[in-house]
Amino acid sequence: MKKRSTIVPVSLAVLLAASVLSGCSQEPAKDAGSSPSAKADQKASEPVPIRWVRAANEQDPTKDRILLELQKRTNTKIEIVSIPSDQFANKLNLMMASGESFDLATVDPGKTLNEWAKNDLILPYDDYLKSGKYPNINAIVNSDVYKGFKIDGKSYFKPLGLAPMQWGWVIRTDWLENLGLSMPTTLEEFYNVAKAFKEKDPDKNGKADTYGVYTRASGMSDPSITQLGQYISRAYAVAGRTDNWVTLPDGSITRYEVSSAAKDAAAFFRKMVKDELINKDWMSLKPDGAQGPESDDFGAGKYGIASTTKPDLFLEKAKAVNPNAKIAYLPPLKGVNGVPANLGHSGGFWRGNVIPKTSKHPEKVLELMEYTLTKEGRELTEFGISGIHFTDVKEENGRRVYNINKAEADKDWDTKKNGYLYPLAWGAMNYFEYAYIPIKEKNYNYDEAFKNLEPWITTEMAAGAFPDWFATNAKYTIAPPLMNVFDDKVLGDQTKLRSTFGEGWLKAVVGDDFEGAWSELQKKWLAAGGQEVITNGQEYYKKNK
C-alpha cells in the first residue's frame, strides 16, 4: 500500500463539502420520516467526520478492517492526512498558521507546540475534562510524569505512553552457578561478578577467553550514556544521565552533570575499563540493535552480562552454542546513599495528540482517544478484530496471550515490517508495545498504572523465556525532576552541553589524571551554558513543583 504524501487542499475539502450539501438539499419525499425529530435522529446517527494529520501513515481508513471497525464502534468517519516524515513539521506548522480545518494531529512536543498554544492555535484539554466523560485522558494529561508538558498551567498535549526502558539487562546464570556466585544486587557485587567472569573461567573450558560486560559508545556525542554508563549511574542517582536533573539531599535540584553522582559513576566506569572487565573495542563499536556482535558474542560465550531489547534472541544464540546455557533478567542495582534501584525513565512518551482550534468536532476526537485507552479499544488497535485477526485469548500469570491469525493480519498490514502488532498500536493513539496500561484498574492513577502495565503478547512470545520483559522493566521506572520540560531557558544548547560533557567524561575515564580531567570538565560545562541552565531550572522547579 503506497503512503499518502499529499495534503488535501482546503478548497477541495470545501468543494466536496458543498457538493455533499447540495446533494442533500433535494426535496425529500413526504412521509413520516421527514419530520424534524426524525431528521435530527438521522443526523445524530451519521458518522462524525474526523480529519487526522499524521506523519508517514500506512493504513487506509477506507480499506483497513481494523480502522473500519474502529470507526464503526466510535461512529466516526476518519480521514488521515499523511505527510512524509521529513516534511511533517513544516507542513503541519503551515496548516496550523493558515487556519486549515482538521480535527486531530499527532505531533512532537517542544518550542513549536508552545507557540501554537501561545497563539491560540490549539485547544486545551482542560475545559472538556471537567465533564468527567474522559477519565483516561484526564489521568494521562494530569499525571505527575507528564506535568512538564503543561503550558501556562493548561494541558494541550496528550502523550502517547511509551514502553518504559525497552533496554534491559541479562546475565549468564549458568556462569554464576559454575563459579558459586549469586545474582549481583549492588555495585560492589556487580564489579566482583564481572571480574570473576573475566578471570575465573566461568564456562569451564580451560581458556582465558571471556570478559564481564559488553558495551559500545561509537556514534555517541556523549559516551557516558552507553547502556553500561547509564546502568552504573542509576545506582548513584534516580534516572542518572546527561540532560536529566537530580534531587539533592536538601530537596533542591541540579543537573546530573555537576552532581557528585556523575563523578562517582564515572570513577566506577573507569575502574571497569582499567581492569579490562568490558570489551576492549567498546569505543569503536556502533549500536547494532542486538543483531550483530552483541548477541553473537554473547551466544558464543565471550562475555556474561549484556544490555538488550531482545533477550530471547540472546538466549537462542547462546543455546545454539551451548544447549545448557542459561540467562536471566538482571535487575537494576541497589542504589547508594538511599537511591532506589531504578532504570530511570524512558521519558514516558513518543509524540502525542493535539486538537487544533479549527476542529469541528473536538468532543468526538476526545471520545475516539478515550475509547482507544479502554481494554476493548486497546485490544482492537493492538491485535485487530477478535475472531478474525486473533482467537483463543488466554489469561496466564497476569498477562494476556493472543493466538494470532497470521493470514488475516497479512491482509491488513505489512507484517514483515511491523510483525504481528498492528502498526497503529504505536505512534497513533498509544505506544505501548505488547502491553495494556491499566489506568482504570489503578483508579485512574496513570503514574501507578505505568509501573504496573499488563503484558499482552502473542503465543510465540509466551513460549519464550522473557514474556514479561517490558512489565519487569516498568517496575523499576522512576522519573527525575523536571521531566518533559521544554522551556528553552531550562534546556539550553543541549547539543553543545552534551558534547562538552561527553568529551570531558571520556578524558576522565580513559586518561591518567581523573581528578584533573573532572575539574576541567566541570569548568568547561558550566561555561558552555550549564550554569544558566541550572539557575533557570531551579527557578522553574520552585514555581512549578
Side-chain angles (χ1 to χ4, degrees):
M1 187 180 300
K2 295 182 179 179
K3 297 180 182 178
R4 295 178 61 195
S5 58
T6 58
I7 302 175
V8 179
V10 180
S11 57
L12 177 57
V14 173
L15 287 172
L16 288 173
S19 174
V20 171
L21 289 173
S22 63
C24 294
S25 64
Q26 297 176 5
E27 186 70 22
K30 301 290 185 179
D31 57 23
S34 62
S35 67
S37 61
K39 289 180 179 178
D41 290 342
Q42 181 181 6
K43 186 175 182 179
S45 67
E46 292 176 355
V48 177
I50 300 295
R51 196 163 188 246
W52 178 15
V53 181
R54 292 196 64 225
N57 180 72
E58 297 181 10
Q59 304 307 115
D60 186 345
T62 66
K63 299 178 181 179
D64 181 304
R65 287 181 291 176
I66 292 87
L67 278 177
L68 288 171
E69 181 67 18
L70 176 63
Q71 292 171 90
K72 178 182 176 182
R73 295 184 189 181
T74 57
N75 194 35
T76 56
K77 184 177 182 181
I78 298 173
E79 172 197 356
I80 298 180
V81 179
S82 181
I83 303 173
S85 295
D86 61 347
Q87 303 172 32
F88 183 73
N90 289 335
K91 287 195 174 183
L92 178 59
N93 204 23
L94 180 61
M95 292 175 74
M96 286 284 189
S98 66
E100 184 168 345
S101 180
F102 58 100
D103 300 284
L104 173 66
T106 305
V107 306
D108 289 312
K111 186 175 182 179
T112 302
L113 175 71
N114 292 358
E115 291 176 351
W116 291 341
K118 300 285 187 184
N119 291 308
D120 199 28
L121 297 177
I122 52 180
L123 295 173
Y125 285 86
D126 308 75
D127 291 341
Y128 297 100
L129 299 180
K130 292 176 182 177
S131 68
K133 293 191 294 184
Y134 316 108
N136 285 298
I137 296 174
N138 183 66
I140 293 172
V141 301
N142 288 305
S143 65
D144 186 61
V145 72
Y146 296 141
K147 65 183 179 182
F149 286 127
K150 290 183 182 291
I151 302 170
D152 295 332
K154 293 185 177 181
S155 299
Y156 294 87
F157 179 83
K158 186 200 79 64
L160 309 179
L162 172 66
M165 297 311 303
Q166 294 167 298
W167 285 91
W169 287 80
V170 290
I171 185 169
R172 288 289 295 264
T173 53
D174 52 330
W175 285 15
L176 290 175
E177 292 171 4
N178 288 343
L179 299 175
L181 297 172
S182 300
M183 184 77 74
T185 61
T186 65
L187 280 167
E188 182 181 9
E189 291 172 357
F190 180 78
Y191 174 85
N192 289 337
V193 165
K195 188 175 179 65
F197 280 1
K198 176 181 184 290
E199 298 176 352
K200 296 187 177 180
D201 191 20
D203 55 2
K204 300 302 180 183
N205 68 353
K207 300 177 182 178
D209 58 355
T210 59
Y211 56 91
V213 189
Y214 180 100
T215 193
R216 71 281 186 287
S218 179
M220 299 179 182
S221 60
D222 175 11
S224 77
I225 58 174
T226 61
Q227 296 300 329
L228 178 58
Q230 292 185 63
Y231 188 72
I232 293 170
S233 70
R234 285 167 182 152
Y236 291 99
V238 169
R241 61 161 282 174
T242 52
D243 302 342
N244 274 346
W245 295 78
V246 296
T247 303
L248 299 175
D250 63 1
S252 63
I253 64 169
T254 192
R255 278 283 289 250
Y256 170 77
E257 292 91 334
V258 298
S259 69
S260 60
K263 182 178 180 181
D264 292 341
F268 188 90
F269 194 104
R270 171 187 171 88
K271 185 178 180 181
M272 298 280 291
V273 171
K274 295 297 183 181
D275 291 347
E276 298 183 346
L277 304 186
I278 67 175
N279 48 305
K280 294 181 180 180
D281 55 358
W282 67 278
M283 285 192 291
S284 62
L285 286 176
K286 295 181 179 180
D288 59 25
Q291 297 296 330
E294 292 177 45
S295 53
D296 290 344
D297 286 359
F298 189 87
K302 292 184 179 180
Y303 63 98
I305 302 174
S307 62
T308 180
T309 60
K310 301 177 181 179
D312 279 314
L313 174 64
F314 273 49
L315 179 58
E316 177 186 332
K317 291 193 175 182
K319 283 187 171 294
V321 176
N322 177 5
N324 297 316
K326 300 177 184 177
I327 70 170
Y329 181 87
L330 176 61
L333 303 173
K334 293 177 182 177
V336 299
N337 300 323
V339 176
N342 76 96
L343 281 175
H345 206 288
S346 64
F349 74 98
W350 187 85
R351 291 186 172 165
N353 296 321
V354 297
I355 304 175
K357 191 73 174 287
T358 58
S359 173
K360 296 178 180 178
H361 308 287
E363 293 203 56
K364 199 63 181 179
V365 171
L366 287 163
E367 287 180 26
L368 177 64
M369 287 192 283
E370 182 73 14
Y371 176 74
T372 65
L373 290 163
T374 64
K375 271 195 170 181
E376 180 182 290
R378 176 57 178 159
E379 183 175 77
L380 175 66
T381 54
E382 184 168 18
F383 293 117
I385 303 169
S386 177
I388 297 177
H389 298 95
F390 65 85
T391 57
D392 304 326
V393 181
K394 297 179 181 179
E395 300 282 348
E396 297 180 358
N397 300 318
R399 61 180 183 259
R400 282 190 180 188
V401 180
Y402 288 78
N403 184 26
I404 303 299
N405 187 339
K406 295 182 178 180
E408 293 299 323
D410 289 340
K411 296 177 183 178
D412 286 297
W413 69 87
D414 185 350
T415 55
K416 292 182 179 179
K417 176 181 178 181
N418 298 290
Y420 290 96
L421 180 75
Y422 181 61
L424 294 191
W426 57 273
M429 295 300 181
N430 302 289
Y431 189 88
F432 255 90
E433 294 126 319
Y434 299 107
Y436 164 69
I437 314 172
I439 304 174
K440 178 181 178 181
E441 293 78 0
K442 292 298 178 180
N443 297 315
Y444 298 102
N445 182 331
Y446 183 82
D447 298 291
E448 192 65 23
F450 195 75
K451 295 179 181 179
N452 291 276
L453 65 96
E454 299 174 7
W456 285 8
I457 57 179
T458 64
T459 52
E460 288 84 353
M461 294 176 70
F466 296 91
D468 302 333
W469 183 245
F470 290 161
T472 304
N473 277 342
K475 295 183 186 302
Y476 296 99
T477 296
I478 302 175
L482 290 193
M483 171 166 277
N484 299 325
V485 174
F486 288 86
D487 184 289
D488 286 340
K489 292 181 179 179
V490 174
L491 294 174
D493 187 338
Q494 294 186 84
T495 301
K496 184 177 181 181
L497 289 172
R498 188 180 298 117
S499 61
T500 299
F501 184 83
E503 180 181 344
W505 180 90
L506 188 60
K507 185 176 181 181
V509 166
V510 301
D512 297 324
D513 181 9
F514 178 79
E515 292 294 337
W518 196 261
S519 178
E520 180 185 7
L521 162 60
Q522 297 296 293
K523 293 177 183 177
K524 287 185 176 180
W525 190 86
L526 291 169
Q531 184 59 66
E532 290 83 357
V533 167
I534 292 172
T535 300
N536 289 316
Q538 290 173 338
E539 291 178 357
Y540 184 99
Y541 184 67
K542 289 178 182 178
K543 292 179 181 178
N544 294 277
K545 69 176 181 179

